[in-house]
Amino acid sequence: MEKKELRTLIKTLKKQHSKEQLLEQSERILAKLEQHPDFIKAERIMLYSALPDEVQTQAFLEKWHLKKTIILPTVVGDDIIPVEYGKDTDFAVGDFNILEPQNEPYRGTFDLIVVPGVAFDQNGNRIGRGRGYYDRFLCQHMDVKRIGICFDFQLVDNVPTEPLDIKMDEVITL
């Protein structure tokens, strides 16, 4: 299956689930993440502000931002710029209708990067929305543990890959 076909299939599958079902799945997926040894030991974690059709992270961000350093992506041009999320962080709607933190860029290191995606496979291959933002960002942080999170129907047998696609070290779903 080509990437475009896979994106269309996943979009169709998402429409078969209510907002409430996806929120309940999100909570269960994030509960698995917070029990993961790499999450437990991590002090600096890059997460993301979710789009409506992604694993929902808002409550999770609010729960953990006082206990760990949480970094969120912002998009500037063709690049992801990491920004620390704090209790007084203001947000603005970014280029893709994603809430982005309005702080100075984060220049520190990461212990864990949690990555959204359109689809993943058991080998850690990931397909995003097609613009390559995460692949360009992740290739600069290859020494950091990368965990993809997704709904159960987003885990497929095979994700088509290209040479610049960055694999996840692990994928968490239900």
Side-chain angles (χ1 to χ4, degrees):
M1 184 179 302
E2 297 294 320
K3 287 184 176 186
K4 185 176 181 180
E5 294 172 303
L6 184 53
R7 286 185 184 101
T8 301
L9 171 64
I10 297 298
K11 190 175 185 177
T12 300
L13 292 173
K14 281 181 186 171
K15 289 179 181 176
Q16 296 173 7
H17 296 79
S18 69
K19 184 176 179 179
E20 293 76 21
Q21 289 172 317
L22 295 179
L23 186 57
E24 189 270 334
Q25 267 201 44
S26 295
E27 291 169 358
R28 291 173 52 206
I29 291 163
L30 292 167
K32 285 177 77 171
L33 175 65
E34 64 189 357
Q35 297 302 314
H36 193 284
D38 288 306
F39 180 84
I40 292 168
K41 73 180 180 186
E43 295 176 17
R44 297 166 307 267
I45 302 167
M46 183 159 178
L47 286 163
Y48 63 92
S49 293
L51 288 168
D53 64 347
E54 293 175 330
V55 173
Q56 295 299 295
T57 57
Q58 190 57 44
F60 191 80
L61 293 169
E62 290 171 16
K63 176 180 180 178
W64 285 101
H65 83 274
L66 296 176
K67 300 170 187 160
K68 296 180 181 276
T69 300
I70 303 294
I71 299 100
L72 298 174
T74 61
V75 174
V76 178
D78 288 335
D79 298 311
I80 284 178
I81 305 298
V83 174
E84 187 172 342
Y85 171 55
K87 68 179 178 122
D88 298 324
T89 300
D90 289 324
F91 285 82
V93 177
D95 291 347
F96 302 97
N97 290 322
I98 299 171
L99 285 177
E100 296 182 345
Q102 302 300 296
N103 288 345
E104 293 297 312
Y106 175 77
R107 305 218 186 274
T109 59
F110 306 95
D111 300 315
L112 175 65
I113 301 174
V114 179
V115 183
V118 172
F120 296 88
D121 65 24
Q122 293 288 358
N123 296 318
N125 294 308
R126 170 188 172 276
I127 181 174
R129 296 183 185 269
R131 304 286 290 274
Y133 293 105
Y134 269 97
D135 292 315
R136 283 191 296 280
F137 180 79
L138 292 171
C139 74
Q140 301 170 38
H141 303 282
M142 295 300 289
D143 58 331
V144 179
K145 176 82 172 201
R146 298 173 306 278
I147 296 179
I149 58 174
C150 66
F151 298 115
D152 56 0
F153 55 84
Q154 291 177 280
L155 189 63
V156 298
D157 290 335
N158 183 43
V159 168
T161 60
E162 296 174 19
L164 296 178
D165 292 341
I166 304 297
K167 283 179 122 175
M168 300 296 102
D169 296 305
E170 198 168 330
V171 178
I172 294 177
T173 191
L174 297 181

